[in-house]
Amino acid sequence: MSSQKPNVSAVLITLNAAAHLSECLAGLKWCDEIVVLDGGSTDATEKICREFGARVHTELRWQGFGVQKNRAVALASSEWVFSVDADEICGPELRAEIERALADAGNTVAFEMPRSSSFCGHWMRHGGWWPDYVTRLFRRGSARFSDDVVHERLIVEGVTQRLQEPLLHYTYDTMAQALEKQDRYSTLGAQKAFEQGQRATPFSALTHGLWTFLRTYFLRLGLLDGRAGWMLANYNARTTYLRYLKLWRLGQTRR
C-alpha cells in the first residue's frame, strides 16, 4: 500500500447550475483542487464556485457535453480526476471509499460507482435508475470522454474497479424542470442520431415510446416506486417519442 496520499482534482462543467452547486462543492472540499469550466453562466454559479476556492475558467464555444468535459479535464493538474456534475453530491461515505481505493489502486486506472438519482423529490430504486453505474474517477491520461453532444461516456484504457457507495444525483427537482430538459435533450438526441445515420418515422416514434414505457414500468419494475415510478415511465416514454419524432422531422427538412 502506498504511504503517500494520491492527489485528486475534482472537475465540473457548469452553466447556470446554482441550484445544488453549494452542496456539490461542499462534498468535494477534500479534493486537492476543484476545477470548473463554465459555459457563460448568468446566475450565481461563478460566485458560488469562487466561494469554495474553485479555479473557474470560461469556455463559450459549446460543442457538446463530451467536448466540454474533455476541455475541463485538460485543466486539471492532479494524478487522479473526479468528474462530477453540478447536481451530483459526493457524500462522506463515498469520499472515504474513494480514499481507501486510491491508496491501494495498484494497476487500476478508473473506478465506477453506483448513482442514486432523485426524480421530482423521490429517490428512485427501480425503473433502470438504480444502481446506474457511472465511471467518474480515473487516472489522468488514462481516459477521455467521447465527443458526443449528449449522453457522453468515459472511454477508459486499462483496468476499472467498482465502488459500492453511491454518488447522489438531483436529476429533476420539479416536473417543470424535467419537461424543459426533456425538450432540450430530445433535440440533442435526435441530432446525434441523425448524424450517426439513423432515421425514423412517426410510427417508429410511437412504437419506441410505447416500448420505453413497458420496459421502464414493468420489465425494470418501475411500478415498485409507486406514483413516482408511473411518472418516470411516462416521462421516459415521452422523451423517447419526442426524440424519434424530431429525428423524423430532421430527415424531412434535410431531404
Side-chain angles (χ1 to χ4, degrees), residues 5 39 46 72 92 128 145 153 208 228 232:
K5 175 182 174 294
E46 185 172 344
F145 288 96
R153 68 190 190 284
H208 277 93
L232 178 62

Side-chain angles (χ1 to χ4, degrees), residues 196-218:
Q196 292 174 342
Q198 298 182 40
R199 298 296 181 265
T201 66
F203 180 73
S204 67
L206 184 63
T207 55
H208 277 93
L210 177 59
W211 168 243
T212 298
F213 175 85
L214 295 174
R215 182 180 59 197
T216 303
Y217 195 65
F218 293 106

Side-chain angles (χ1 to χ4, degrees), residues 150-161:
V150 66
H151 302 312
E152 73 288 347
R153 68 190 190 284
L154 191 67
I155 303 169
V156 179
E157 297 180 3
V159 178
T160 300
Q161 285 190 26

